[in-house]
Amino acid sequence: MNSNNKTVVSIAVLVGLITLAVYSGSLTCGFINMDDPFYITNNLLIRNLDLQTLRRLFTEAHLGAWIPLTHVSFAIDHHFWGSDPTGYHLTNIVLHALNATMVVLLTDRLLKNERKWIAGDIGNFLYPVMLLLAGLMWGIHPLRVESVAWAAERKDVLNGLLTLAAVISYIRYVQLKEAGKRRMLLVPYLLALLFFVLSLLAKQVSVTLPVILLLLDWYPLARFRKKKLVSLLVEKIPFLVIALLIAFMTIYIAAEGKILSSIVDFPFYVRVLVSGNAIFEYCRLSFFPTGINPYIVIPKPLPYGYLVKTITVAAISLFMLRISQRKPAIAAVWFAFIVLLLPTLAFIQAGDDIAMAARYTYLPAIAPSFGGAAVFMLLVAKAREKCHKFVVVIMLISINIFIVLAVSTTVKLISVWKDTGTYWSRVIEVEPVGRAFGDRGVYYLINNRSVDAAADFTAAIGIATETGWKKMYNLYAFRGVALSDQGRYADAIDDFDRAIRILPHPTYFYLRGEALKTLGRTSEAELDFRRAGPHPSPIDWF
């Protein structure tokens, strides 16, 4: 290993260690009531890692998705850690740190041939700094917190590791082919294909990777020559076939699970506007990561701002297309960002309320990270060549301030994932929605904070009344339980009455009967107990 390679590896390891340290705070986080119960705490499939379980994981869809490798990783964690969340978070942190190191290695493989262009005559200094900056801009950015500190988002970090491995293997294949070493081509090509398949078994967000590989062929690998265009397309056929099969299967499974929004409920023009707004906001949050919300719903009706942002994104895309011949680096970064975002945009909407999510930027943000680092160091090099030392100092100070602010924001956001209460409190702090109050109310109820629970249910009822939410009976019933816990049985009975008028669920009759019995209204209580039946289920979201 020559000195340049040693430097690159050292920087990659340093970035990984810094990332590990920054996210170490998530070891104190627990599970939250968003997806964690389905994937981990209540998931019977991860309790036994035997051949029968493996067969089911790889041959059956679960929770409206087919992600067997993610379930296997949870099963391994359960084998070692049981229900202790620390181990699950440790695995997420380690995987993310490995991904940060691989971002550095990927940046070097893509840009080392452009080293003189990036760093001028002082490449020995600025190039390593650029690699460090690229890894940190991606690894410790606040937009990564959701993917790392949320236990159930193992999908992102595991998919990220395998996708990065696929791209690095593909670049190795291209380097060997360009060098004429045809006897050595099969192994890196098959590795790229294997890692691509495995990434899809973890999460299907990497389904657009064949297009990314073609983008890399265009820039910076510079393989787009007329005589080679057909061979480039032939190279991608196995990737494309696998991607199409997985895409169709994913859509089919989601449709069977009835989690896809219909075109009637969610018209195409709304999908376009929601997608355009999401792309714009992801760009904004990349530069100004303030007000990051872990649960963002689609407002009804859509604000005019969605249209303005969509037009802006379209205009930028057309501009990038226009300058693609003169400025291929900038255009390639933009289109890589968009292509990797496509599977998470609203064109195929699972559910009808999620507008965007920070976790969706996990893969797409890689290209802007090393692209931004390269552009920044190029500007520093040019300023130094022109002897603008003051400008260089200001630029370096600015980027250090950005990194410090990013670390502090990331550490602060990690605390959001401490438990269900902190999670929904963050949502309420940034943009209050009814579900946030309702779910936090349940958390408070479970943790014997009945006064706080009743207050949250009251807030949720107010929002539900304004929006006409059809399942309001849940809120009345839960508030009735919170009031009963405070000894306010008469008020609790009023809430159970409201719940029963909307949905006469056996559990509601049982709970009202308990309150009536406490107040000495025995005959009424006995009638409710008969209506409830012999074995009413515990209260839940019905």
Side-chain angles (χ1 to χ4, degrees):
M1 184 182 292
N2 60 42
S3 59
N4 286 336
N5 288 338
K6 287 181 179 178
T7 300
V8 172
V9 171
S10 298
I11 292 170
V13 172
L14 177 60
V15 167
L17 292 174
I18 292 173
T19 303
L20 205 63
V22 170
Y23 282 92
S24 61
S26 66
L27 292 174
T28 62
C29 295
F31 296 123
I32 66 167
N33 68 351
M34 283 285 289
D35 287 0
D36 285 350
F38 303 112
Y39 286 102
I40 303 172
T41 56
N42 297 335
N43 187 0
L44 298 178
L45 281 173
I46 69 171
R47 304 290 172 83
N48 295 299
L49 192 57
D50 52 24
L51 291 177
Q52 177 67 13
T53 301
L54 288 173
R55 185 193 65 78
R56 289 193 60 194
L57 288 176
F58 280 90
T59 59
E60 300 175 10
H62 302 281
L63 306 171
W66 185 65
I67 48 174
L69 213 57
T70 297
H71 286 293
V72 169
S73 74
F74 285 139
I76 294 171
D77 272 343
H78 187 273
H79 175 77
F80 288 103
W81 303 94
S83 59
D84 184 356
T86 304
Y88 297 84
H89 288 294
L90 177 62
T91 303
N92 278 16
I93 298 170
V94 171
L95 287 172
H96 181 61
L98 287 173
N99 291 341
T101 66
M102 293 183 72
V103 167
V104 174
L105 298 178
L106 176 61
T107 304
D108 175 61
R109 279 157 176 73
L110 288 174
L111 300 182
K112 65 180 177 182
N113 291 333
E114 308 285 346
R115 182 169 180 157
K116 292 182 180 179
W117 175 78
I118 293 170
D121 297 330
I122 50 173
N124 290 334
F125 168 70
L126 286 187
Y127 184 76
V129 175
M130 184 205 72
L131 294 179
L132 178 68
L133 184 58
L136 292 179
M137 285 179 67
W138 182 81
I140 63 174
H141 196 284
L143 284 175
R144 306 291 88 75
V145 172
E146 186 169 313
S147 296
V148 184
W150 186 4
E153 278 310 306
R154 171 70 52 78
K155 298 171 286 186
D156 285 339
V157 292
L158 186 56
N159 170 274
L161 180 71
L162 296 164
T163 303
L164 285 165
V167 175
I168 290 174
S169 297
Y170 177 77
I171 293 171
R172 178 60 179 165
Y173 159 78
V174 171
Q175 290 172 339
L176 291 172
K177 190 171 185 178
E178 295 294 312
K181 299 179 180 179
R182 298 190 175 275
R183 293 183 180 180
M184 304 170 65
L185 295 180
L186 187 59
V187 172
Y189 183 84
L190 291 179
L191 281 176
L193 195 60
L194 174 63
F195 285 130
F196 174 53
V197 172
L198 292 176
S199 74
L200 296 172
L201 299 185
K203 189 177 183 180
Q204 284 81 47
V205 288
S206 52
V207 72
T208 56
L209 186 63
V211 181
I212 295 298
L213 298 183
L214 279 172
L215 269 175
L216 291 177
D217 286 337
W218 172 56
Y219 186 88
L221 299 179
R223 302 178 72 203
F224 261 47
R225 295 183 284 274
K226 288 185 179 180
K227 293 182 179 180
K228 287 192 173 184
L229 188 58
V230 173
S231 65
L232 293 182
L233 293 174
V234 170
E235 279 179 353
K236 309 305 180 297
I237 288 177
F239 292 89
L240 186 60
V241 169
I242 291 169
L244 289 174
L245 286 174
I246 293 293
F248 284 127
M249 186 179 70
T250 301
I251 294 171
Y252 174 78
I253 291 172
E256 285 291 299
K258 302 185 186 302
I259 63 174
L260 290 182
S261 297
S262 70
I263 199 69
V264 175
D265 296 330
F266 200 54
F268 183 73
Y269 79 91
V270 176
R271 296 170 189 254
V272 171
L273 294 178
V274 171
S275 299
N277 175 77
I279 295 171
F280 184 93
E281 286 300 308
Y282 292 142
C283 293
R284 179 186 68 81
L285 290 171
S286 296
F287 291 102
F288 304 102
T290 58
I292 295 176
N293 187 349
Y295 188 78
I296 304 173
V297 299
I298 300 172
K300 296 177 182 179
L302 291 181
Y304 288 111
Y306 274 50
L307 176 61
V308 174
K309 293 173 187 177
T310 300
I311 292 173
T312 302
V313 169
I316 293 173
S317 299
L318 290 173
F319 175 75
M320 291 296 177
L321 197 60
R322 184 175 181 180
I323 67 168
S324 59
Q325 296 300 319
R326 293 182 291 108
K327 302 288 184 180
I330 298 173
V333 167
W334 175 258
F335 288 119
F337 178 70
I338 297 298
V339 168
L340 286 169
L341 271 177
L342 280 175
T344 67
L345 296 177
F347 297 109
I348 301 177
Q349 183 79 357
D352 60 355
D353 59 346
I354 300 298
M356 54 181 286
R359 62 185 180 275
Y360 295 158
T361 66
Y362 196 79
L363 284 180
I366 294 174
S369 294
F370 64 68
V375 169
F376 181 81
M377 285 304 162
L378 175 62
L379 294 175
V380 171
K382 286 186 175 181
R384 181 161 176 169
E385 287 172 1
K386 294 180 180 180
C387 298
H388 298 318
K389 294 183 179 180
F390 179 74
V391 175
V392 172
V393 171
I394 293 297
M395 291 177 70
L396 293 177
I397 290 174
S398 299
I399 198 63
N400 277 284
I401 291 174
F402 178 82
I403 290 174
V404 170
L405 290 175
V407 170
S408 61
T409 305
T410 294
V411 171
K412 181 181 177 181
L413 286 177
I414 288 172
S415 65
V416 169
W417 301 89
K418 181 177 175 59
D419 54 47
T420 297
T422 55
Y423 172 84
W424 289 115
S425 292
R426 173 63 179 178
V427 176
I428 292 168
E429 175 191 343
V430 179
E431 188 176 350
V433 292
R435 178 173 181 178
F437 287 106
D439 279 20
R440 190 176 68 172
V442 173
Y443 172 79
Y444 286 156
L445 199 59
I446 293 170
N447 288 274
N448 300 315
R449 296 172 58 178
S450 58
V451 175
D452 294 328
D456 271 357
F457 292 132
T458 299
I461 287 169
I463 295 173
T465 302
E466 292 177 7
T467 58
W469 191 53
K470 296 179 180 179
K471 298 182 180 180
M472 199 186 303
Y473 48 83
N474 285 301
L475 299 173
Y476 284 125
F478 271 107
R479 188 173 68 175
V481 174
L483 294 172
S484 292
D485 288 348
Q486 298 174 51
R488 298 169 57 185
Y489 297 108
D491 293 331
I493 290 169
D494 288 340
D495 271 345
F496 293 135
D497 288 342
R498 294 186 181 98
I500 289 169
R501 280 197 295 270
I502 306 172
L503 179 73
H505 196 282
T507 299
Y508 298 165
F509 284 110
Y510 177 80
L511 293 170
R512 187 174 68 177
E514 287 285 309
L516 289 167
K517 182 179 178 181
T518 304
L519 291 178
R521 296 161 62 177
T522 309
S523 59
E524 294 173 82
E526 288 300 325
L527 179 59
D528 271 354
F529 290 146
R530 286 196 295 272
R531 289 169 174 169
H535 302 292
S537 60
I539 187 170
D540 201 346
W541 290 106
F542 298 123

